[in-house]
């Protein structure tokens, strides 16, 4: 009887490890921002980061930038739409921030909307980062415009 109990407990523990929940970051600021140079402050495991936007209306350019300590990375810019969408009343919406891939580093799920009538969700994971990057693009949702 004891071997069955031990194997059941082992199964229970392994299922708990598989079902481990994502770790959330501490997020400060508005979760949606519409104007340039606004920021969302993110903190995970003593690492403090800022997610900011830059927007040049005259040149029709936009960038979403993540800065952690002295490291800076452009996560998204107007070239990401392959020229299919003009920048018009852009906004960024933070869906989630934390550690999704269980490596102790910041991951993000955000909608980056270059045009007021468009929406596209992006998932960035630290485990997908290339050399010199904070995170890499793991998943991109379909661009929908109405």
């Amino acid at each position: 009887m004891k071997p069955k109990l031990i194997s059941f407990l082992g199964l229970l523990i392994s299922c708990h490890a598989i079902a481990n929940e994502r770790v959330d970051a501490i997020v400060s600021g508005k979760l949606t921002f519409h104007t340039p140079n606004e920021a969302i402050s993110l903190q995970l495991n003593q690492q403090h980061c800022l997610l900011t936007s830059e927007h040049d209306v005259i040149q029709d350019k936009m960038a979403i930038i993540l800065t952690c300590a002295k490291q800076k990375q452009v996560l998204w810019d107007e070239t990401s739409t392959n020229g299919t969408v003009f920048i018009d009343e852009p906004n960024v919406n933070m869906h989630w921030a934390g550690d999704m891939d269980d490596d102790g580093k910041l991951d993000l799920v955000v909608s980056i909307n270059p045009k007021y009538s468009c929406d596209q969700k992006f998932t960035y994971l630290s485990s997908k980062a290339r050399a010199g990057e904070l995170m890499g693009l793991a998943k991109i949702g379909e661009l929908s415009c109405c």
Side-chain angles (χ1 to χ4, degrees):
M1 192 105 176
K2 286 186 179 182
K4 288 182 182 179
L5 178 60
I6 291 171
S7 64
F8 173 74
L9 288 175
L11 178 63
L12 183 63
I13 290 169
S14 65
C15 287
H16 177 70
I18 291 169
N20 192 12
E21 292 185 25
R22 300 182 296 188
V23 176
D24 292 341
I26 298 169
V27 180
S28 304
K30 296 189 288 183
L31 296 181
T32 299
F33 53 86
H34 300 275
T35 59
N37 307 317
E38 289 191 75
I40 297 174
S41 176
L42 308 159
Q43 185 173 341
L44 179 71
N45 297 333
Q46 306 302 320
Q47 181 182 37
H48 182 262
C49 301
L50 286 175
L51 186 67
T52 59
S53 68
E54 293 179 359
H55 181 206
D56 184 333
V57 178
I58 295 170
Q59 294 187 5
D60 199 31
K61 293 183 183 249
M62 176 181 164
I64 305 303
I65 300 162
L66 180 67
T67 306
C68 300
K70 294 181 180 182
Q71 192 172 0
K72 191 176 193 180
Q73 179 183 348
V74 174
L75 295 180
W76 187 98
D77 66 19
E78 72 283 346
T79 63
S80 300
T81 65
N82 297 321
T84 58
V85 176
F86 293 104
I87 308 300
D88 183 16
E89 297 181 34
N91 67 79
V92 176
N93 185 22
M94 171 69 62
H95 293 283
W96 183 83
D99 184 11
M100 187 181 295
D101 53 13
D102 203 28
D103 64 357
K105 297 178 184 177
L106 184 66
D107 304 313
L108 299 173
V109 179
V110 295
S111 287
I112 301 171
N113 310 313
K115 185 175 172 73
Y116 64 90
S117 61
C118 294
D119 182 60
Q120 190 167 33
K121 191 182 282 188
F122 296 83
T123 301
Y124 294 95
L125 299 177
S126 55
S127 60
K128 297 285 187 182
R130 294 181 287 201
E133 291 182 337
L134 295 164
M135 55 184 59
L137 184 60
K139 185 178 178 185
I140 183 168
E142 186 175 332
L143 176 66
S144 62
C145 299
C146 49

